[in-house]
Amino acid sequence: MNIAYDLFAETNPAFGTFGLLGFCRKYVAASRGKPPTLALAYLALPIALSDDLETSFLETAATTGLLSWLNRYPDVRLDLSVRLDASKEIVSAAVRFGLCSRALALGNAGTIEPGPRAPSTTPVDNLPENPKRAIKRAERLGSWMGKAGSAGSVFSAFGVTP
């Protein structure tokens, strides 16, 4: 039951949209109002949905910062390209769902942000523990990436070429 639920949750576009909303909200707050570029969704959501990275998030705080986290847990970068390639369709489906439902909006500069019909964070609080942790990881990444500078700086920190 747990494996089926996790697989369903990770591939469900609505769940992915909730993760992206959490990421975007925290990114905007951390960057003082600047929304993230859409490309960062393809980095943040796969990492947030990865239960195998949960320990690295539990042992940090929102104030830890992206570079400190990556320095403490260099294994995050191992097989990252495989993880990102495998999740392209999942992220794309979440983005499409978010845009169609108007929970997410695209900005003129290739950014993504909460849209006019973005739900409140209350439904996340009512999720079972595993999905709730995935959303919290997305939020943490939003805070860290929002403070890290440009999208290029974030991709560089992960060793990824956008």
Side-chain angles (χ1 to χ4, degrees), residues 21 25 98-99 101-106 113-119:
L21 276 169
R25 285 177 172 138
L99 294 173
S101 66
R102 298 179 53 203
L104 295 171
L106 287 177
E113 55 195 276
R117 296 188 64 201

Side-chain angles (χ1 to χ4, degrees), residues 14-26:
F15 181 73
T17 296
F18 266 108
L20 289 175
L21 276 169
F23 169 75
C24 289
R25 285 177 172 138
K26 294 294 185 171

Side-chain angles (χ1 to χ4, degrees), residues 37 39-40 151-156 159-162:
T37 63
L40 287 177
S153 296
V154 172
F155 280 107
S156 178
V160 175
T161 307

Side-chain angles (χ1 to χ4, degrees), residues 44 46-78 80 83 133-134 136-138 140-141 144 158:
I47 292 170
L49 294 177
S50 299
D51 277 339
D52 62 320
L53 299 177
E54 176 65 12
T55 301
S56 72
F57 284 91
L58 289 174
E59 296 175 351
T60 58
T63 57
T64 300
L66 182 65
L67 292 177
S68 293
W69 175 65
L70 288 171
N71 285 332
R72 285 186 204 174
Y73 300 96
D75 292 354
V76 169
R77 294 182 189 102
L78 292 178
L80 184 61
R83 187 185 309 256
R133 283 196 302 262
K136 297 297 180 191
R137 290 190 298 265
R140 178 80 50 87
L141 287 167
W144 289 345
F158 279 96

Side-chain angles (χ1 to χ4, degrees), residues 121-135:
T121 58
T122 304
V124 174
D125 295 334
N126 297 325
L127 288 173
E129 208 51 43
N130 276 350
K132 188 186 304 185
R133 283 196 302 262
I135 301 298

